[in-house]
Structure formats: structure tokens, C-alpha cells
PDB file of all heavy atoms in Angstrom:
ATOM      1  N   LEU D 806       0.865  -1.169   0.000  1.00 98.00           N
ATOM      2  CA  LEU D 806       0.000   0.000   0.000  1.00 98.00           C
ATOM      3  C   LEU D 806       0.903   1.220   0.000  1.00 98.00           C
ATOM      4  O   LEU D 806       1.831   1.301   0.812  1.00 98.00           O
ATOM      5  CB  LEU D 806      -0.901   0.009   1.243  1.00 98.00           C
ATOM      6  CG  LEU D 806      -1.628   1.327   1.547  1.00 98.00           C
ATOM      7  CD1 LEU D 806      -2.637   1.668   0.465  1.00 98.00           C
ATOM      8  CD2 LEU D 806      -2.299   1.261   2.923  1.00 98.00           C
ATOM      9  N   GLU D 807       0.659   2.140  -0.907  1.00 98.00           N
ATOM     10  CA  GLU D 807       1.442   3.369  -0.962  1.00 98.00           C
ATOM     11  C   GLU D 807       0.503   4.575  -0.982  1.00 98.00           C
ATOM     12  O   GLU D 807      -0.529   4.554  -1.670  1.00 98.00           O
ATOM     13  CB  GLU D 807       2.337   3.405  -2.201  1.00 98.00           C
ATOM     14  CG  GLU D 807       3.433   2.351  -2.229  1.00 98.00           C
ATOM     15  CD  GLU D 807       4.537   2.607  -1.206  1.00 98.00           C
ATOM     16  OE1 GLU D 807       4.603   3.731  -0.658  1.00 98.00           O
ATOM     17  OE2 GLU D 807       5.327   1.670  -0.962  1.00 98.00           O
ATOM     18  N   VAL D 808       0.856   5.601  -0.233  1.00 97.00           N
ATOM     19  CA  VAL D 808       0.145   6.880  -0.291  1.00 97.00           C
ATOM     20  C   VAL D 808       0.802   7.704  -1.394  1.00 97.00           C
ATOM     21  O   VAL D 808       1.990   8.017  -1.319  1.00 97.00           O
ATOM     22  CB  VAL D 808       0.193   7.615   1.055  1.00 97.00           C
ATOM     23  CG1 VAL D 808      -0.483   8.981   0.937  1.00 97.00           C
ATOM     24  CG2 VAL D 808      -0.482   6.782   2.146  1.00 97.00           C
ATOM     25  N   VAL D 809       0.035   8.031  -2.411  1.00 97.00           N
ATOM     26  CA  VAL D 809       0.570   8.746  -3.571  1.00 97.00           C
ATOM     27  C   VAL D 809       0.573  10.252  -3.334  1.00 97.00           C
ATOM     28  O   VAL D 809       1.546  10.941  -3.636  1.00 97.00           O
ATOM     29  CB  VAL D 809      -0.252   8.402  -4.825  1.00 97.00           C
ATOM     30  CG1 VAL D 809       0.209   9.212  -6.025  1.00 97.00           C
ATOM     31  CG2 VAL D 809      -0.155   6.908  -5.125  1.00 97.00           C
ATOM     32  N   ALA D 810      -0.515  10.774  -2.791  1.00 96.00           N
ATOM     33  CA  ALA D 810      -0.623  12.211  -2.510  1.00 96.00           C
ATOM     34  C   ALA D 810      -1.463  12.410  -1.262  1.00 96.00           C
ATOM     35  O   ALA D 810      -2.519  11.788  -1.109  1.00 96.00           O
ATOM     36  CB  ALA D 810      -1.232  12.947  -3.695  1.00 96.00           C
ATOM     37  N   TYR D 811      -0.983  13.284  -0.378  1.00 95.00           N
ATOM     38  CA  TYR D 811      -1.702  13.568   0.864  1.00 95.00           C
ATOM     39  C   TYR D 811      -1.856  15.078   0.982  1.00 95.00           C
ATOM     40  O   TYR D 811      -0.869  15.813   0.936  1.00 95.00           O
ATOM     41  CB  TYR D 811      -0.946  13.004   2.069  1.00 95.00           C
ATOM     42  CG  TYR D 811      -1.779  13.011   3.326  1.00 95.00           C
ATOM     43  CD1 TYR D 811      -2.660  11.975   3.592  1.00 95.00           C
ATOM     44  CD2 TYR D 811      -1.717  14.083   4.219  1.00 95.00           C
ATOM     45  CE1 TYR D 811      -3.459  11.988   4.717  1.00 95.00           C
ATOM     46  CE2 TYR D 811      -2.509  14.103   5.343  1.00 95.00           C
ATOM     47  CZ  TYR D 811      -3.384  13.058   5.596  1.00 95.00           C
ATOM     48  OH  TYR D 811      -4.181  13.091   6.711  1.00 95.00           O
ATOM     49  N   ARG D 812      -3.087  15.550   1.185  1.00 94.00           N
ATOM     50  CA  ARG D 812      -3.388  16.968   1.081  1.00 94.00           C
ATOM     51  C   ARG D 812      -3.810  17.619   2.405  1.00 94.00           C
ATOM     52  O   ARG D 812      -4.057  18.814   2.431  1.00 94.00           O
ATOM     53  CB  ARG D 812      -4.486  17.171   0.031  1.00 94.00           C
ATOM     54  CG  ARG D 812      -4.127  16.577  -1.329  1.00 94.00           C
ATOM     55  CD  ARG D 812      -5.331  16.490  -2.245  1.00 94.00           C
ATOM     56  NE  ARG D 812      -5.002  15.959  -3.574  1.00 94.00           N
ATOM     57  CZ  ARG D 812      -4.938  14.688  -3.889  1.00 94.00           C
ATOM     58  NH1 ARG D 812      -5.190  13.770  -2.955  1.00 94.00           N
ATOM     59  NH2 ARG D 812      -4.632  14.303  -5.095  1.00 94.00           N
ATOM     60  N   GLU D 813      -3.967  16.829   3.456  1.00 91.00           N
ATOM     61  CA  GLU D 813      -4.413  17.358   4.743  1.00 91.00           C
ATOM     62  C   GLU D 813      -3.226  17.896   5.547  1.00 91.00           C
ATOM     63  O   GLU D 813      -2.093  17.416   5.386  1.00 91.00           O
ATOM     64  CB  GLU D 813      -5.102  16.253   5.556  1.00 91.00           C
ATOM     65  CG  GLU D 813      -6.267  15.570   4.852  1.00 91.00           C
ATOM     66  CD  GLU D 813      -7.555  16.346   4.943  1.00 91.00           C
ATOM     67  OE1 GLU D 813      -7.537  17.496   5.444  1.00 91.00           O
ATOM     68  OE2 GLU D 813      -8.590  15.815   4.510  1.00 91.00           O
ATOM     69  N   PRO D 814      -3.457  18.855   6.436  1.00 90.00           N
ATOM     70  CA  PRO D 814      -2.362  19.361   7.270  1.00 90.00           C
ATOM     71  C   PRO D 814      -1.930  18.384   8.358  1.00 90.00           C
ATOM     72  O   PRO D 814      -0.824  18.470   8.883  1.00 90.00           O
ATOM     73  CB  PRO D 814      -2.930  20.644   7.882  1.00 90.00           C
ATOM     74  CG  PRO D 814      -4.419  20.445   7.854  1.00 90.00           C
ATOM     75  CD  PRO D 814      -4.700  19.645   6.625  1.00 90.00           C
ATOM     76  N   ARG D 815      -2.801  17.441   8.715  1.00 90.00           N
ATOM     77  CA  ARG D 815      -2.484  16.440   9.739  1.00 90.00           C
ATOM     78  C   ARG D 815      -2.824  15.041   9.220  1.00 90.00           C
ATOM     79  O   ARG D 815      -3.615  14.889   8.307  1.00 90.00           O
ATOM     80  CB  ARG D 815      -3.271  16.706  11.020  1.00 90.00           C
ATOM     81  CG  ARG D 815      -2.950  18.033  11.671  1.00 90.00           C
ATOM     82  CD  ARG D 815      -3.742  18.219  12.963  1.00 90.00           C
ATOM     83  NE  ARG D 815      -3.439  19.477  13.615  1.00 90.00           N
ATOM     84  CZ  ARG D 815      -4.003  20.646  13.315  1.00 90.00           C
ATOM     85  NH1 ARG D 815      -4.941  20.690  12.367  1.00 90.00           N
ATOM     86  NH2 ARG D 815      -3.662  21.750  13.948  1.00 90.00           N
ATOM     87  N   GLY D 816      -2.216  14.057   9.860  1.00 91.00           N
ATOM     88  CA  GLY D 816      -2.533  12.677   9.510  1.00 91.00           C
ATOM     89  C   GLY D 816      -1.533  12.011   8.591  1.00 91.00           C
ATOM     90  O   GLY D 816      -1.756  10.891   8.129  1.00 91.00           O
ATOM     91  N   HIS D 817      -0.397  12.658   8.355  1.00 90.00           N
ATOM     92  CA  HIS D 817       0.622  12.097   7.462  1.00 90.00           C
ATOM     93  C   HIS D 817       1.181  10.760   7.968  1.00 90.00           C
ATOM     94  O   HIS D 817       1.842  10.054   7.202  1.00 90.00           O
ATOM     95  CB  HIS D 817       1.783  13.087   7.298  1.00 90.00           C
ATOM     96  CG  HIS D 817       1.407  14.318   6.535  1.00 90.00           C
ATOM     97  ND1 HIS D 817       1.598  14.442   5.181  1.00 90.00           N
ATOM     98  CD2 HIS D 817       0.818  15.474   6.936  1.00 90.00           C
ATOM     99  CE1 HIS D 817       1.177  15.626   4.781  1.00 90.00           C
ATOM    100  NE2 HIS D 817       0.691  16.269   5.816  1.00 90.00           N
ATOM    101  N   GLU D 818       0.919  10.445   9.208  1.00 93.00           N
ATOM    102  CA  GLU D 818       1.472   9.209   9.775  1.00 93.00           C
ATOM    103  C   GLU D 818       1.035   7.951   9.025  1.00 93.00           C
ATOM    104  O   GLU D 818       1.685   6.907   9.127  1.00 93.00           O
ATOM    105  CB  GLU D 818       1.074   9.081  11.254  1.00 93.00           C
ATOM    106  CG  GLU D 818       1.692  10.137  12.159  1.00 93.00           C
ATOM    107  CD  GLU D 818       0.886  11.429  12.220  1.00 93.00           C
ATOM    108  OE1 GLU D 818      -0.077  11.571  11.418  1.00 93.00           O
ATOM    109  OE2 GLU D 818       1.211  12.297  13.049  1.00 93.00           O
ATOM    110  N   ILE D 819      -0.045   8.030   8.269  1.00 96.00           N
ATOM    111  CA  ILE D 819      -0.479   6.847   7.520  1.00 96.00           C
ATOM    112  C   ILE D 819       0.538   6.462   6.450  1.00 96.00           C
ATOM    113  O   ILE D 819       0.487   5.350   5.922  1.00 96.00           O
ATOM    114  CB  ILE D 819      -1.859   7.046   6.871  1.00 96.00           C
ATOM    115  CG1 ILE D 819      -1.827   8.179   5.837  1.00 96.00           C
ATOM    116  CG2 ILE D 819      -2.925   7.270   7.921  1.00 96.00           C
ATOM    117  CD1 ILE D 819      -3.074   8.256   4.980  1.00 96.00           C
ATOM    118  N   ARG D 820       1.466   7.351   6.145  1.00 95.00           N
ATOM    119  CA  ARG D 820       2.509   7.024   5.172  1.00 95.00           C
ATOM    120  C   ARG D 820       3.582   6.128   5.782  1.00 95.00           C
ATOM    121  O   ARG D 820       4.399   5.559   5.048  1.00 95.00           O
ATOM    122  CB  ARG D 820       3.171   8.295   4.650  1.00 95.00           C
ATOM    123  CG  ARG D 820       2.255   9.179   3.819  1.00 95.00           C
ATOM    124  CD  ARG D 820       3.030  10.366   3.263  1.00 95.00           C
ATOM    125  NE  ARG D 820       4.174   9.892   2.486  1.00 95.00           N
ATOM    126  CZ  ARG D 820       5.429  10.362   2.657  1.00 95.00           C
ATOM    127  NH1 ARG D 820       5.704  11.256   3.588  1.00 95.00           N
ATOM    128  NH2 ARG D 820       6.403   9.888   1.896  1.00 95.00           N
ATOM    129  N   GLY D 821       3.595   6.011   7.086  1.00 95.00           N
ATOM    130  CA  GLY D 821       4.639   5.253   7.749  1.00 95.00           C
ATOM    131  C   GLY D 821       4.582   3.775   7.419  1.00 95.00           C
ATOM    132  O   GLY D 821       3.504   3.198   7.246  1.00 95.00           O
ATOM    133  N   PRO D 822       5.745   3.120   7.363  1.00 95.00           N
ATOM    134  CA  PRO D 822       5.771   1.690   7.002  1.00 95.00           C
ATOM    135  C   PRO D 822       5.055   0.805   8.006  1.00 95.00           C
ATOM    136  O   PRO D 822       4.488  -0.224   7.622  1.00 95.00           O
ATOM    137  CB  PRO D 822       7.276   1.379   6.940  1.00 95.00           C
ATOM    138  CG  PRO D 822       7.942   2.467   7.719  1.00 95.00           C
ATOM    139  CD  PRO D 822       7.101   3.677   7.541  1.00 95.00           C
ATOM    140  N   ARG D 823       5.052   1.168   9.281  1.00 95.00           N
ATOM    141  CA  ARG D 823       4.389   0.327  10.280  1.00 95.00           C
ATOM    142  C   ARG D 823       2.889   0.259  10.033  1.00 95.00           C
ATOM    143  O   ARG D 823       2.291  -0.815  10.114  1.00 95.00           O
ATOM    144  CB  ARG D 823       4.667   0.854  11.686  1.00 95.00           C
ATOM    145  CG  ARG D 823       4.013   0.029  12.780  1.00 95.00           C
ATOM    146  CD  ARG D 823       4.381   0.512  14.162  1.00 95.00           C
ATOM    147  NE  ARG D 823       5.810   0.397  14.435  1.00 95.00           N
ATOM    148  CZ  ARG D 823       6.379   0.740  15.579  1.00 95.00           C
ATOM    149  NH1 ARG D 823       5.634   1.217  16.571  1.00 95.00           N
ATOM    150  NH2 ARG D 823       7.672   0.605  15.742  1.00 95.00           N
ATOM    151  N   PHE D 824       2.282   1.399   9.715  1.00 96.00           N
ATOM    152  CA  PHE D 824       0.851   1.396   9.436  1.00 96.00           C
ATOM    153  C   PHE D 824       0.555   0.640   8.149  1.00 96.00           C
ATOM    154  O   PHE D 824      -0.325  -0.231   8.099  1.00 96.00           O
ATOM    155  CB  PHE D 824       0.318   2.826   9.322  1.00 96.00           C
ATOM    156  CG  PHE D 824      -1.130   2.899   8.911  1.00 96.00           C
ATOM    157  CD1 PHE D 824      -2.135   2.581   9.811  1.00 96.00           C
ATOM    158  CD2 PHE D 824      -1.482   3.244   7.614  1.00 96.00           C
ATOM    159  CE1 PHE D 824      -3.478   2.616   9.423  1.00 96.00           C
ATOM    160  CE2 PHE D 824      -2.813   3.285   7.219  1.00 96.00           C
ATOM    161  CZ  PHE D 824      -3.808   2.975   8.132  1.00 96.00           C
ATOM    162  N   ARG D 825       1.286   0.920   7.089  1.00 97.00           N
ATOM    163  CA  ARG D 825       1.006   0.299   5.787  1.00 97.00           C
ATOM    164  C   ARG D 825       1.250  -1.206   5.802  1.00 97.00           C
ATOM    165  O   ARG D 825       0.568  -1.958   5.100  1.00 97.00           O
ATOM    166  CB  ARG D 825       1.854   0.984   4.708  1.00 97.00           C
ATOM    167  CG  ARG D 825       1.447   2.428   4.454  1.00 97.00           C
ATOM    168  CD  ARG D 825       2.231   3.062   3.308  1.00 97.00           C
ATOM    169  NE  ARG D 825       3.642   3.245   3.638  1.00 97.00           N
ATOM    170  CZ  ARG D 825       4.643   2.546   3.118  1.00 97.00           C
ATOM    171  NH1 ARG D 825       4.385   1.592   2.221  1.00 97.00           N
ATOM    172  NH2 ARG D 825       5.886   2.794   3.458  1.00 97.00           N
ATOM    173  N   ALA D 826       2.210  -1.635   6.608  1.00 97.00           N
ATOM    174  CA  ALA D 826       2.535  -3.068   6.659  1.00 97.00           C
ATOM    175  C   ALA D 826       1.388  -3.902   7.216  1.00 97.00           C
ATOM    176  O   ALA D 826       1.323  -5.112   6.969  1.00 97.00           O
ATOM    177  CB  ALA D 826       3.786  -3.293   7.494  1.00 97.00           C
ATOM    178  N   GLN D 827       0.469  -3.280   7.942  1.00 97.00           N
ATOM    179  CA  GLN D 827      -0.655  -4.030   8.510  1.00 97.00           C
ATOM    180  C   GLN D 827      -1.571  -4.614   7.433  1.00 97.00           C
ATOM    181  O   GLN D 827      -2.287  -5.582   7.679  1.00 97.00           O
ATOM    182  CB  GLN D 827      -1.492  -3.121   9.419  1.00 97.00           C
ATOM    183  CG  GLN D 827      -0.759  -2.605  10.636  1.00 97.00           C
ATOM    184  CD  GLN D 827      -1.670  -1.722  11.473  1.00 97.00           C
ATOM    185  OE1 GLN D 827      -2.347  -2.204  12.381  1.00 97.00           O
ATOM    186  NE2 GLN D 827      -1.699  -0.443  11.159  1.00 97.00           N
ATOM    187  N   PHE D 828      -1.532  -4.028   6.246  1.00 98.00           N
ATOM    188  CA  PHE D 828      -2.406  -4.494   5.165  1.00 98.00           C
ATOM    189  C   PHE D 828      -1.792  -5.651   4.387  1.00 98.00           C
ATOM    190  O   PHE D 828      -2.492  -6.323   3.629  1.00 98.00           O
ATOM    191  CB  PHE D 828      -2.708  -3.336   4.210  1.00 98.00           C
ATOM    192  CG  PHE D 828      -3.520  -2.237   4.825  1.00 98.00           C
ATOM    193  CD1 PHE D 828      -2.898  -1.170   5.455  1.00 98.00           C
ATOM    194  CD2 PHE D 828      -4.897  -2.268   4.787  1.00 98.00           C
ATOM    195  CE1 PHE D 828      -3.639  -0.147   6.026  1.00 98.00           C
ATOM    196  CE2 PHE D 828      -5.658  -1.258   5.358  1.00 98.00           C
ATOM    197  CZ  PHE D 828      -5.024  -0.188   5.981  1.00 98.00           C
ATOM    198  N   ARG D 829      -0.499  -5.875   4.564  1.00 98.00           N
ATOM    199  CA  ARG D 829       0.186  -6.903   3.788  1.00 98.00           C
ATOM    200  C   ARG D 829      -0.418  -8.281   4.084  1.00 98.00           C
ATOM    201  O   ARG D 829      -0.615  -8.662   5.230  1.00 98.00           O
ATOM    202  CB  ARG D 829       1.674  -6.896   4.103  1.00 98.00           C
ATOM    203  CG  ARG D 829       2.508  -7.740   3.133  1.00 98.00           C
ATOM    204  CD  ARG D 829       3.991  -7.602   3.441  1.00 98.00           C
ATOM    205  NE  ARG D 829       4.419  -6.208   3.336  1.00 98.00           N
ATOM    206  CZ  ARG D 829       5.104  -5.567   4.270  1.00 98.00           C
ATOM    207  NH1 ARG D 829       5.429  -6.176   5.398  1.00 98.00           N
ATOM    208  NH2 ARG D 829       5.459  -4.310   4.078  1.00 98.00           N
ATOM    209  N   GLY D 830      -0.721  -9.014   3.039  1.00 97.00           N
ATOM    210  CA  GLY D 830      -1.282 -10.357   3.187  1.00 97.00           C
ATOM    211  C   GLY D 830      -2.795 -10.396   3.317  1.00 97.00           C
ATOM    212  O   GLY D 830      -3.385 -11.476   3.290  1.00 97.00           O
ATOM    213  N   LYS D 831      -3.432  -9.240   3.446  1.00 97.00           N
ATOM    214  CA  LYS D 831      -4.894  -9.217   3.569  1.00 97.00           C
ATOM    215  C   LYS D 831      -5.543  -9.523   2.217  1.00 97.00           C
ATOM    216  O   LYS D 831      -5.006  -9.208   1.156  1.00 97.00           O
ATOM    217  CB  LYS D 831      -5.370  -7.849   4.068  1.00 97.00           C
ATOM    218  CG  LYS D 831      -4.827  -7.447   5.439  1.00 97.00           C
ATOM    219  CD  LYS D 831      -5.283  -8.387   6.528  1.00 97.00           C
ATOM    220  CE  LYS D 831      -4.839  -7.892   7.902  1.00 97.00           C
ATOM    221  NZ  LYS D 831      -5.167  -8.861   8.974  1.00 97.00           N
ATOM    222  N   THR D 832      -6.717 -10.133   2.273  1.00 97.00           N
ATOM    223  CA  THR D 832      -7.472 -10.453   1.067  1.00 97.00           C
ATOM    224  C   THR D 832      -8.886  -9.898   1.192  1.00 97.00           C
ATOM    225  O   THR D 832      -9.286  -9.387   2.248  1.00 97.00           O
ATOM    226  CB  THR D 832      -7.554 -11.969   0.850  1.00 97.00           C
ATOM    227  OG1 THR D 832      -8.439 -12.539   1.826  1.00 97.00           O
ATOM    228  CG2 THR D 832      -6.180 -12.621   0.961  1.00 97.00           C
ATOM    229  N   ALA D 833      -9.650 -10.043   0.122  1.00 97.00           N
ATOM    230  CA  ALA D 833     -11.040  -9.572   0.140  1.00 97.00           C
ATOM    231  C   ALA D 833     -11.880 -10.340   1.147  1.00 97.00           C
ATOM    232  O   ALA D 833     -12.925  -9.860   1.593  1.00 97.00           O
ATOM    233  CB  ALA D 833     -11.645  -9.699  -1.262  1.00 97.00           C
ATOM    234  N   ALA D 834     -11.439 -11.533   1.530  1.00 96.00           N
ATOM    235  CA  ALA D 834     -12.186 -12.341   2.495  1.00 96.00           C
ATOM    236  C   ALA D 834     -11.931 -11.908   3.937  1.00 96.00           C
ATOM    237  O   ALA D 834     -12.678 -12.300   4.842  1.00 96.00           O
ATOM    238  CB  ALA D 834     -11.825 -13.812   2.330  1.00 96.00           C
ATOM    239  N   ASP D 835     -10.884 -11.135   4.163  1.00 95.00           N
ATOM    240  CA  ASP D 835     -10.541 -10.708   5.521  1.00 95.00           C
ATOM    241  C   ASP D 835     -11.370  -9.518   5.955  1.00 95.00           C
ATOM    242  O   ASP D 835     -11.704  -8.643   5.141  1.00 95.00           O
ATOM    243  CB  ASP D 835      -9.056 -10.320   5.599  1.00 95.00           C
ATOM    244  CG  ASP D 835      -8.141 -11.512   5.436  1.00 95.00           C
ATOM    245  OD1 ASP D 835      -8.441 -12.569   6.018  1.00 95.00           O
ATOM    246  OD2 ASP D 835      -7.130 -11.382   4.727  1.00 95.00           O
TER     247      ASP D 835
END
């Protein structure tokens, strides 16, 4: 999962690898 563009003044932390790594391995059934 990659954040391509972020426009808000707050909340940039979602770009961090720890947050994005939580989605790795997930499927539509999860």
C-alpha cells in the first residue's frame, strides 16, 4: 500500500511503514 498524494495538514502518519505493513497479506475475504 502506498500513499501517492496527501493533502491534509495532519494525519501524514499513515505514510509510515508500520501502518502500511498491517495491510500486507490481507485479502477480500478478511
Side-chain angles (χ1 to χ4, degrees):
L806 166 65
E807 294 290 346
V808 177
V809 176
Y811 192 84
R812 304 166 178 85
E813 304 278 7
R815 298 182 179 84
H817 291 266
E818 294 86 351
I819 63 169
R820 293 184 57 229
R823 180 176 297 181
F824 175 74
R825 292 184 292 109
Q827 296 180 91
F828 294 90
R829 192 176 301 129
K831 300 297 185 185
T832 72
D835 292 318

